[in-house]
Amino acid sequence: MDALLRSERNFLWRPLNLTSRLLLVAAAAAIIASFFFPLWRMHLFAPQYEEGLSLYIYSHKIQGGGIDGADLNEINTLNHYIGMKPLRQADFFEMQWMPFVFGLIILLLLRAAVFGQMANVVDVFTLFSYFGVFSIGAFYYRLYIYGHQLDPEAPMKIKPFTPLLIGTKQIANFTEHSYPQFAAYLLIAAVSLVFLAGWFSRNETV
């Protein structure tokens, strides 16, 4: 046991080389860039909407496609007929704290790049991974709530459903497409860069 603890301590105290530090800075830059692009896109096709209706989800806002985001109003009108709550940014409280969590992770990445110790990389990788899994779970739960808490007095009755997280699905006469967008890939790249930062310094000596 003593040998194991000593090995663990030696690993966490390993210094980071220049490559690892630059990878951490690149990861922070990728997270910053993700603010400017959508994380997710949901697109609805139906015969009466030849160009479809789009909904873009950012880390800090919801935005409809079309001119001046008109698709969001149209989607909410359609949701009204099946008894689904309107999509309002104020109801997505996750979008209020997500930017602060991203800011915290960016600060921890820069701190790890400056102090240059393996323990810092392990900390930020663990936090980043946990946050990613939690966010996807929260997103799915939000979709479930919207699709299952339908107003029983709605003009049109449909069976409760969960809007698709990834893939294509038929809902009444609409075909839904839901896929991650550029910001999601930037975040995947960022967590991969953090992992590589630890990998490239795994053989450094104290």
Side-chain angles (χ1 to χ4, degrees):
M1 181 59 88
D2 287 345
L4 179 62
L5 292 175
R6 191 161 47 250
S7 175
E8 177 189 356
R9 186 172 61 250
N10 289 338
F11 175 76
L12 294 176
W13 285 0
R14 290 180 195 278
L16 301 180
N17 57 33
L18 179 60
T19 299
S20 294
R21 295 178 188 232
L22 291 176
L23 289 173
L24 292 174
V25 173
I31 296 175
I32 293 172
S34 73
F35 282 102
F36 301 99
F37 301 96
L39 287 164
W40 227 268
R41 180 194 185 206
M42 293 182 175
H43 196 68
L44 298 172
F45 274 113
Q48 64 270 40
Y49 295 101
E50 294 182 355
E51 296 183 358
L53 300 171
S54 291
L55 184 68
Y56 296 93
I57 300 173
Y58 291 71
S59 60
H60 57 287
K61 67 178 180 180
I62 298 175
Q63 182 175 305
I67 299 174
D68 296 328
D71 285 1
L72 178 57
N73 291 332
E74 194 65 31
I75 290 171
N76 279 334
T77 300
L78 293 170
N79 287 345
H80 167 74
Y81 287 110
I82 62 172
M84 185 182 286
K85 287 174 54 179
L87 296 168
R88 293 179 300 204
Q89 187 170 318
D91 293 335
F92 288 78
F93 65 92
E94 299 93 336
M95 293 179 178
Q96 299 174 18
W97 54 257
M98 282 183 73
F100 292 100
V101 176
F102 280 134
L104 173 64
I105 293 174
I106 290 168
L107 290 175
L108 290 175
L109 285 169
L110 297 178
R111 177 177 179 270
V114 171
F115 286 93
Q117 197 171 48
M118 184 64 76
N120 302 135
V121 176
V122 172
D123 285 344
V124 74
F125 179 77
T126 303
L127 175 64
F128 202 173
S129 300
Y130 169 77
F131 176 65
V133 172
F134 177 82
S135 298
I136 292 175
F139 184 29
Y140 180 81
Y141 177 72
R142 181 70 63 179
L143 292 175
Y144 176 87
I145 292 298
Y146 266 91
H148 282 77
Q149 293 185 348
L150 302 178
D151 184 354
E153 305 299 323
M156 184 181 297
K157 311 295 182 190
I158 68 168
K159 186 178 179 181
F161 66 100
T162 302
L164 203 59
L165 188 62
I166 297 179
T168 299
K169 182 177 184 179
Q170 191 71 27
I171 304 173
N173 65 329
F174 281 87
T175 302
E176 177 200 4
H177 303 277
S178 178
Y179 289 98
Q181 297 295 294
F182 188 55
Y185 297 122
L186 282 172
L187 295 178
I188 292 172
V191 74
S192 300
L193 290 171
V194 177
F195 175 81
L196 289 174
W199 179 264
F200 280 112
S201 290
R202 69 190 187 284
N203 293 324
E204 295 291 326
T205 55
V206 178

